[in-house]
Amino acid sequence: MASILPQAFSFSLLFSLVSLLPHLDFCSCSNRKLLNASNSNSNWLLGGATWYGSPDGAGSDGGACGYGNSVEQAPFSSMVSAGGPSLFKSGKGCGACYQVKCTDNAACSGNPVTVVITDECPGGPCLSESVHFDMSGTAFGAMAISGQSNQLRNAGLLQIQYQRVQCNYPGVSVAFHVDAGSNSYYFAVVIEFEDGDGDLGAVDLREAMDSDTWLPMQQSWGAAWKLNSGSELRAPFSLKLKALESGNTLVASDVIPAGWQPGVTYRSLVNF
């Protein structure tokens, strides 16, 4: 050390510098804070957002997923969105939950809100942007600072941040709404309120007294699945649901009872 010190460098100055060493922080804390901030935002992606329908409404009356007026009721409570092709996924994205937030407008709160995909947005910015949410007026306004929902809706088109999240419907059963056109040879059902993954990649049906055979159903449209049978179907029916993204499965055993009726909704407390 002494060999590289200038001759004028005094021993007392060297001692003073050494005495400071216990008080110095070589952890590069500013960089560490930036790293933590980066990690906390690492799951957020960029997308676009618009809104449709009435300012305080649910966007549409049910939408292309087939949920009907339940989009206005709890647990959806109008916090819903139509999705462009990358979100709607030809209907298999129905029921998926996302957190969205905005920061680029003065009326943005920057706080995330959760929306559910319940409809399809087939044109306009939904096609020109790789990821686009066409949100209900209620959901779009929920991204605003308190009292500034109208100002944010007046912006029209926003850049947002989004991330996929688990759906959470405490105390709400998975709903199986039997299509009004169903009969002993044709069974169709709209499925909603799946906790966890939310989306569906496959649905199978098992008849009564047959514990081994699962009959694959076909996606009809949106969240509606159907089975055309060459013979009479024997209830009660169990339904096996497979999530699109994770592949997780759940079984709602005997959820459709013997003597089931078209147009009736049956429920099960299973979840992914």
Side-chain angles (χ1 to χ4, degrees), residues 67 69-80 116 168-173 175 192-193 267:
Y67 296 144
N69 61 7
S70 65
V71 297
E72 302 171 1
Q73 303 165 4
F76 289 156
S77 302
S78 298
M79 293 296 292
V80 297
V116 186
N168 185 23
Y169 306 120
V172 177
S173 305
E192 59 185 340
F193 308 142
R267 299 183 181 275

Side-chain angles (χ1 to χ4, degrees), residues 167-253:
C167 298
N168 185 23
Y169 306 120
V172 177
S173 305
V174 180
F176 300 86
H177 181 73
V178 179
D179 185 78
S182 296
N183 55 54
S184 298
Y185 296 86
Y186 170 81
F187 181 77
V189 62
V190 172
I191 306 168
E192 59 185 340
F193 308 142
E194 304 95 62
D195 248 358
D197 290 4
D199 56 13
L200 290 175
V203 179
D204 297 328
L205 181 147
R206 185 177 64 197
E207 297 180 74
M209 308 301 293
D210 189 344
S211 60
D212 298 323
T213 303
W214 287 96
L215 305 173
M217 300 183 72
Q218 296 178 315
Q219 184 191 17
S220 180
W221 57 278
W225 294 76
K226 66 181 180 179
L227 176 63
N228 279 304
S229 178
S231 58
E232 186 174 3
L233 293 167
R234 298 165 300 155
F237 303 144
S238 297
L239 294 174
K240 180 168 64 176
L241 314 181
K242 183 177 181 180
L244 177 65
E245 295 293 331
S246 70
N248 291 335
T249 61
L250 64 84
V251 175
S253 298

Side-chain angles (χ1 to χ4, degrees), residues 118-206:
T118 60
D119 200 359
E120 178 182 17
C121 180
C126 295
L127 290 181
S128 61
E129 295 184 330
S130 59
V131 177
H132 191 89
F133 295 81
D134 196 17
M135 301 166 68
S136 69
T138 298
F140 197 92
M143 295 189 294
I145 296 170
S146 179
Q148 297 191 33
S149 296
N150 287 331
Q151 291 91 319
L152 188 61
R153 283 189 286 261
N154 288 339
L157 175 65
L158 290 176
Q159 184 181 75
I160 61 163
Q161 297 177 62
Y162 74 96
Q163 63 178 350
R164 179 75 182 271
V165 295
Q166 295 284 288
C167 298
N168 185 23
Y169 306 120
V172 177
S173 305
V174 180
F176 300 86
H177 181 73
V178 179
D179 185 78
S182 296
N183 55 54
S184 298
Y185 296 86
Y186 170 81
F187 181 77
V189 62
V190 172
I191 306 168
E192 59 185 340
F193 308 142
E194 304 95 62
D195 248 358
D197 290 4
D199 56 13
L200 290 175
V203 179
D204 297 328
L205 181 147
R206 185 177 64 197

Side-chain angles (χ1 to χ4, degrees), residues 61-112:
D61 296 330
C65 290
Y67 296 144
N69 61 7
S70 65
V71 297
E72 302 171 1
Q73 303 165 4
F76 289 156
S77 302
S78 298
M79 293 296 292
V80 297
S81 178
S86 64
L87 297 173
F88 186 68
K89 300 174 184 176
S90 299
K92 290 188 176 180
C94 290
C97 295
Y98 295 86
Q99 282 188 334
V100 295
K101 63 181 180 179
C102 70
T103 57
D104 289 350
N105 186 284
C108 290
S109 70
N111 298 321

Side-chain angles (χ1 to χ4, degrees), residues 14-48:
L14 178 60
F15 180 80
S16 299
L17 289 173
V18 172
S19 67
L20 290 174
L21 287 176
H23 306 287
L24 297 179
D25 184 0
F26 292 103
C27 70
S28 186
C29 290
S30 61
N31 290 338
R32 184 171 62 192
K33 291 177 181 177
L34 288 175
L35 179 61
N36 289 340
S38 175
N39 286 341
S40 66
N41 290 320
S42 60
N43 293 328
W44 291 98
L45 304 171
L46 294 179

